[in-house]
Amino acid sequence: MAPRFSGRTAVAACALALALTGGAVAIGGGGGQAPAPAAPAPAAPPQGLGTGGLDQGVRALQAHLRAQPKDHAGWANLGTAYVEQARTQGDPSRYAEADRALARSLKLRPDGNDAALAGRAALAAARHDFTGALHDARRG
């Protein structure tokens, strides 16, 4: 009998796939071939990021969390945004910030926090901790 996956696992697996794809694109690997067409953007940005760019979205989430520090979803989105900033800007210092934001989200809501678990899976994958990424993806 095939294993049954929950919606949380699917979200975490998608985040992991996006992180791995992003890492492969950042590293390259076309071997001189023409670049592959860009993947379509997600239908909607994570809650709180809006459409004004990643840096602007991070600033907006930071301001929101100063006013609403118990918003577990906001912390999860901020952590995931930090992972994306590290990837797109080549700034590994964002990984520590992502780790803290995701840990805070999980502290506020330890159970059923799919967004934080997906963010942790993406963070682990970005750090090339694929065992940890798989562990977090399966927790979801």
Side-chain angles (χ1 to χ4, degrees), residues 48-111:
L49 283 182
T51 59
L54 184 58
D55 292 340
Q56 183 179 352
V58 165
R59 286 189 298 274
L61 277 168
Q62 290 168 332
H64 167 76
L65 290 167
R66 279 191 291 278
Q68 300 291 327
K70 293 185 179 183
D71 179 6
H72 72 278
W75 286 108
N77 286 322
L78 181 61
T80 303
Y82 283 150
V83 173
E84 184 66 8
Q85 277 187 323
R87 185 187 70 77
T88 59
Q89 298 172 0
D91 182 3
S93 70
R94 291 295 193 185
Y95 292 149
E97 293 177 83
D99 196 27
R100 285 191 296 274
L102 294 165
R104 187 157 184 183
S105 178
L106 286 166
K107 184 177 180 182
L108 289 168
R109 185 171 182 188
D111 297 319

Side-chain angles (χ1 to χ4, degrees), residues 41 76 79 127 133:
R127 289 176 163 167

